[in-house]
Amino acid sequence: MPKRGGAEVFRITGARQGLAEDVRGRQRRYVISMTVRTLSVIAAAVLWNVERHVAIVALALGILLPYVAVVIANAGRESPPSLPSTFVPAPVRPALDAGEPAADPEPDRPHDRN
């Protein structure tokens, strides 16, 4: 991708998203889940005398959703995507066997020990 000055811009595909963007996303998920919770509590109050079973389900959702929303919001940053390995292992070289000791080429002649 050439830029105005002619410098090329590279995309970093394996990098995690920035901290501010991560916090913003977690706040967005929390606000959405709290909105759903508020709507479910209001629906439980409105439907209590009309459709009791639906009101109980909405009330249960309104009670359980704050816990789930806090756990999701505090889950932390995502794990970085796995990148292809650039490590190339060295080839395995077979080790030499211990083998048998070499035979004495001249068994009749005594060895010199100086």
Side-chain angles (χ1 to χ4, degrees), residues 2-8:
K3 214 174 174 181
R4 288 185 204 176
E8 200 171 338

Side-chain angles (χ1 to χ4, degrees), residues 14-26 29 71-81:
R16 296 193 310 186
Q17 63 184 0
L19 183 59
E21 187 178 333
D22 180 59
V23 170
R24 194 171 32 253
R26 287 192 279 150
R29 286 190 300 268
V71 169
I72 290 172
N74 292 331
R77 300 188 72 183
E78 83 284 352
S79 58

Side-chain angles (χ1 to χ4, degrees), residues 3 7 15 20 43 53 56-59 64 73-74 86 91 93 95 97 101 104 108 111:
K3 214 174 174 181
H53 294 96
I56 291 173
V57 170
L59 188 61
L64 295 176
N74 292 331
T86 57
R93 296 182 181 166
D97 291 335
D104 195 4
D108 299 336
H111 296 289

Side-chain angles (χ1 to χ4, degrees), residues 21-39 62-75:
E21 187 178 333
D22 180 59
V23 170
R24 194 171 32 253
R26 287 192 279 150
Q27 286 174 343
R28 186 179 319 117
R29 286 190 300 268
Y30 183 78
V31 167
I32 290 170
S33 61
M34 286 297 104
T35 303
V36 170
R37 179 213 184 215
T38 302
L39 293 176
I63 291 171
L64 295 176
L65 199 56
Y67 172 74
V68 173
V70 167
V71 169
I72 290 172
N74 292 331

